[in-house]
């Protein structure tokens, strides 16, 4: 299968995206893979597969590789005579800004390029944790209580300690801290404000049961991964999650009652249906008193959560064949013609 | 890392900082040199001196801190002071490398640690004098466009306000400020430093009433190799202030 991995981006998670792409190169061996790197200045490069190593990018060696431009239905490499189009479905593997905020989705939609990844509306609701709360409220999925703080205003918190502080629009635990008492709050907020002017504050529940579930819609049916209970010390910090991306062995299935697995899947489906078609997403849930709460949606999970699927290659192949068709209205100028006719011109 | 917005002269500067050992009672503020950032300083001292609360600061225009107005060393000092007020930080120990050393001196801490500090003007070598003369001549002849061949390494690729700041702070004579400093000072120098030569360290030791110079093997960044020993000296110097 022909597949183009698009990675990089102007994002705090730029480097994680590179790691994701390198991992997937191995996980999808056998596919006819191509690699397109978006650097932090938004230039696209076609990366030689044998050069898919972290050092290629940190050393700037990618700058010597062919630049690409977007054209209708594909990326194009300028050649001496004419241009060569890079064909094949794109897998959007840009984490964080650009990839998950709807920018790349909009670009690919605009240029009629087929892609695996969240569409614009799905990106909007999953990228900003505030909008994820609004979405869950609307579709009846429980989430933890929360408050929003902005760097430009001071507000007294109603929630009681311990708290967890998260930048509103980041994944991968970057800028996240746990605050046990008020004296630690100011610094934790400044840490989050370095990444986003808005932050979400939630109660921190020590030892809460956490479960991750990935999945996608293929041919109108939900396909789920196994349910994973992530390892955690106090919470998954950036480094731990980062290691997570490179993880290659399959994880152990969590020991759960069938009833709870059903509940997790039902909540996942509620979130996914009608919004995330075309994407393979991972939802992270909390379970408190046998009730399921959504923690966050990862519309482009690290390394596409490949370790949660028994047949990851098969899932990607089927998903690529089951992408939503975007309809573009055909303009026929009927209205203008009818007026012209009426005027007798 | 963390970020605070500081209001200064009707401008907002975002100052990036990082705190280690948040519950320690003695504050250690660390200021980097020109063109450097708090990352480098944290890399050196982050795992030492656990009994101090470390505060690493990106000076305006460096690292993740912003700067959209030209500043003098006194402006930078005031901005650091404003951040310190927000962080409830005490002037127990302040470490400054190179340009950061001048800021640290103006902050007037109880214990001042200068690592290859700037502030002593050394006569320009003949090569530089010749370069300046040649460029002035070229400029007079209408070849100002050749400026990029002459500009100092430190000033290349600077934004306009930062270039102005550079001109404000470079070659400042801090002899008076060093003389009037009345706290305890620890001066650490690399013996083969070519940016701020060892003779500057010796001069500062003469000027400061209560100071001690320690010379290390290495250049302008000697402390990267000798962080543990520098840390030990800082701790000992601080302990001496408690003896009275």
């Amino acid at each position: 299968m022909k597949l183009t991995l698009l990675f990089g981006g102007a994002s705090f998670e730029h480097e994680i995206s590179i790691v994701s792409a390198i991992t997937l190169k191995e996980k999808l061996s056998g596919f006819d893979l191509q690699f397109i790197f978006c650097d932090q200045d938004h230039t696209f490069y076609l990366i030689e597969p044998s050069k898919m190593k972290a050092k290629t990018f940190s050393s700037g060696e990618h700058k010597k590789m062919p630049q690409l431009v977007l054209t209708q239905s594909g990326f194009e490499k300028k050649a001496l005579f004419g241009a060569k189009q890079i064909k094949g479905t794109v897998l959007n593997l840009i984490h964080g800004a650009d990839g998950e905020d709807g920018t790349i989705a909009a670009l690919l939609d605009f240029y009629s390029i087929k892609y695996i990844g969240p569409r614009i509306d799905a990106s909007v609701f999953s990228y900003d944790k505030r909008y994820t709360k609004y979405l869950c409220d609307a579709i009846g999925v429980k989430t933890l209580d929360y408050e929003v703080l902005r760097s430009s205003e001071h507000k007294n918190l109603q929630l009681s300690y311990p708290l967890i502080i998260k930048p509103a629009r980041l994944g991968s635990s970057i800028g996240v801290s746990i605050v046990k008492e008020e004296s630690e709050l100011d610094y934790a907020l400044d840490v989050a404000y370095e990444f986003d002017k808005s932050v979400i504050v939630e109660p921190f529940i020590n030892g809460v049961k956490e479960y991750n579930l990935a999945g996608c819609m293929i041919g109108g049916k939900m396909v789920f991964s196994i349910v994973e209970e992530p390892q955690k010390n106090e919470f998954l910090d950036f480094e731990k999650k980062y290691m997570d991306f490179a993880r290659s062995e399959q994880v152990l299935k969590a020991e759960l009652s069938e009833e709870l697995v059903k509940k997790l899947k039902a909540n996942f489906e509620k979130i996914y249906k009608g919004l995330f078609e075309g994407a393979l997403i991972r939802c992270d849930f909390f379970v408190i008193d046998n009730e399921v709460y959504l923690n966050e949606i990862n519309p482009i999970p690290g390394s596409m959560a490949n370790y949660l699927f028994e047949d990851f290659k098969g899932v990607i192949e089927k998903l690529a064949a089951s992408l939503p068709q975007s309809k573009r209205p055909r303009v026929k100028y009927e209205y203008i013609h009818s007026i012209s006719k009426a005027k007798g011109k | 890392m963390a970020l605070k917005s500081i209001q200064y002269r009707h401008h907002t500067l975002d100052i990036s900082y990082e705190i280690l050992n948040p519950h320690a009672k003695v504050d250690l503020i660390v200021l980097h040199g020109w063109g450097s950032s708090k990352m480098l300083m944290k890399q050196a001292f982050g795992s030492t001196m656990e009994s101090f609360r470390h505060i690493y600061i990106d000076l305006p225009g460096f690292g993740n801190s912003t700067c959209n107005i030209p500043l003098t060393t006194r402006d930078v000092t005031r901005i650091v002071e404003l951040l310190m007020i927000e962080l409830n930080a005490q002037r127990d120990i302040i470490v400054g490398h190179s340009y950061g050393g001048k800021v640290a001196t103006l902050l007037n801490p109880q214990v001042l640690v200068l690592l290859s500090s700037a502030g002593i003007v050394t006569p320009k070598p003949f090569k530089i004098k010749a370069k300046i003369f040649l460029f002035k001549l070229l400029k007079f002849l209408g070849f100002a466009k050749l400026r990029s061949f002459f500009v100092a390494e430190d000033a290349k690729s600077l934004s306009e306000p930062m270039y102005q700041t550079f001109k404000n702070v470079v070659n400042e004579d801090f002899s008076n400020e060093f003389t009037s400093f009345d706290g305890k000072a620890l001066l650490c120098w690399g013996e083969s430093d070519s940016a701020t030569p060892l003779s500057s360290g010796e001069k500062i030791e003469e000027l400061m009433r209560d100071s001690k110079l320690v010379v290390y093997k290495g250049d302008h960044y000697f402390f990267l190799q000798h962080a543990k020993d520098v840390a030990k000296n800082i701790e000992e110097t601080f302990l001496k202030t408690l003896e009275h």
Side-chain angles (χ1 to χ4, degrees), chain B residues 110-158:
Chain B
Q110 214 182 334
V111 172
L112 172 66
V113 182
L114 297 180
L115 310 174
S116 298
S117 178
I120 298 294
V121 181
T122 47
K124 293 189 185 76
F126 176 74
K127 207 175 122 195
I128 301 288
K129 278 188 184 160
K131 237 170 123 180
I132 293 171
F133 175 75
L134 182 63
F135 180 63
K136 283 195 172 156
L137 185 71
L138 284 169
K139 204 166 141 187
F140 177 72
L141 297 171
F143 291 104
K145 274 186 189 157
L146 296 171
R147 176 177 170 274
S148 63
F149 292 104
F150 289 91
V151 127
E153 204 56 47
D154 273 348
K156 268 180 192 159
S157 73
L158 284 181

Side-chain angles (χ1 to χ4, degrees), chain A residues 151 181 183-184 186-187 189-195 197, chain B residues 1-5 14 16-19 23 64 86-87:
Chain A
S151 63
E181 52 187 84
S183 66
E184 300 170 353
D186 187 59
Y187 184 61
L189 288 175
D190 283 352
V191 168
Y193 290 146
E194 177 137 16
F195 300 102
K197 295 289 167 204
Chain B
M1 284 183 295
L3 197 73
K4 263 209 200 295
S5 295
D14 284 339
S16 178
Y17 70 99
E18 183 163 356
I19 293 180
H23 296 291
N64 293 328
E86 295 261 356
L87 300 180

Side-chain angles (χ1 to χ4, degrees), chain B residues 164 221 227 231-232:
Chain B
Q164 284 302 325
Y221 291 92
K232 204 179 95 210

